[in-house]
Amino acid sequence: MASAKYVFVTGGVTSSLGKGIISASLATLLQSRGFRVTIQKFDPYLNVDPGTLNPYEHGECFVTDDGAETDLDLGHYERFLNHPTSQANNVTTGRVYQSVIEKERRGDFLGKTVQVIPHITNEIKERMQILGNSGDYDVVITELGGTVGDIESLPYVESVRQLCWERPDDCAVVHLTLIPYLSAAGELKTKPTQHSVKSLQESGVFPDVLVCRTEYELTESIRRKLALFCNVQTDSVIQSIDAATIYDVPKLMKEEQLDKVVLKKLGLSHTGEADITNWEEFVYHLNNPKHTVDIALVGKYVELKDSYKSISESFIHASSFLRCKVILHWICSEKLDATSAIESLKNMDGVLVAPGFGPRGIEGKLYAVQYARENKIPFFGICLGMQASVIEYARNVLHYVSAHSTEMNPETSYPVIDIMKAQKKVINMGGTMRLGSCACELKKGSIAHAVYGVDKIDERHRHRYEFNNLYLNDFEKLGMKATGINPESGLVEIVEIPNHPWFVGVQFHPEYKSTVANPHPLFVSFVKAALKNKS
């Protein structure tokens, strides 16, 4: 069995340059050539995982099939490659140190003094090679979080140095950097990139490829200058000009021949051009819609749109599939009351109430649900959004005026949403929710059954509270139906209102499984309903 090849993607000059998108774009090109590719993210923060991080701190927490709470970049990896990731695809410094300390406590190091080198770096290298050693992949792309020069990133850079030294024929380093444009001088400046590469070289890592983020085209003279001062080949200076959407980047990287440069460095044979015809069709349909719809996304984290990254990307996938541009209106649930909800939602073709935790903004979500339900506007509730639809229905249709979730009001007289039995004794917050892929059986004749076209599905979860089955008969008698049930626990996964044009609440997170190649059917159906409502 041939050993896997490794590509390490580092970043310099500034954060948020798009290492994840470059990694995913390179992987897309290599995958289109027939290579088996995966991507992993190594994050330098001390949290064991992003599960307890506030969305304002780190954006969305993405969940994998095996229940790992991971960085949002793994969502990009899955959306681009149409291939699931796992716990092994995301590692943090916290997890690395936790593992090393546990080994030390067990006596695995035989009394040795435990140090960053070799113990921490050995742990990092071992984790960097887990997916490569599985035999499932030809190329493993590793994105290093943070920016070269950060103190917390040093152990990762050192680990890359050691791997490149140990396996010189199997490793390539791609360094993503910024070429700023100074308007006063009227020119692009290469000095920040030179300093960034110098810092990387001082750590013993020598980049093979420079990917240069820029607002303006790089001239041939700038490419030669960068190649000379940064010790790379001129054809290894890759321009990454600002794109209209992230989905334009694979085509731009193909034009710059990033895949060919990397394959040459890795010694992998290749002929012709990468075939991304299906991808280009996706982008064409996305950029040339035949219709538009206005959809409200109601949540409490709307100031930071990365908090709902998978949801917004799922709408993009549905937009391309239907040739219907979704214009998202980001509405803060904290600012909604009975009056402002009408004003904010009256021109919407559909309403989505987003996931979340805690009491902040919950009443605004209830007003949004009520407006969509009473005015027959297509409604989609996800996780807490589904729970909000249950609470609103209990209050205004069942007339359980004080109905609530015990998450928000532990003393409510009508706990229509209650903590799951398995969660009642949980003390630690991190990694203890109901996480990952779970089965759901669909009732025939429901919207969900028609949308999925099968009797049983698997979707990903991240929650502690659930529909309280003690009230299920009350709801079903007055028109809200449970149309999706977990076969093992009896947990209500989906609720619908049959006498509404399109009203669906799901306890799971369908947005985690939507990809470019396979837009999620619930999002496609919801956008269709919104378009029908508009017309």
Side-chain angles (χ1 to χ4, degrees), residues 19-31:
K19 294 190 299 294
I21 301 303
I22 290 297
S23 299
S25 298
L26 173 60
T28 299
L29 294 175
L30 297 181
Q31 187 184 63

Side-chain angles (χ1 to χ4, degrees), residues 454-471:
V454 294
D455 297 332
K456 189 175 181 179
I457 59 171
D458 290 278
E459 291 283 5
R460 300 177 190 178
H461 297 70
R462 185 175 185 249
H463 64 107
R464 297 185 193 278
Y465 293 80
E466 64 175 325
F467 186 105
N468 189 340
N469 281 340
L470 293 176
Y471 296 93

Side-chain angles (χ1 to χ4, degrees), residues 136-148:
D136 296 330
Y137 302 104
D138 304 310
V139 180
V140 177
I141 299 173
T142 302
E143 176 192 349
L144 298 188
T147 306
V148 169

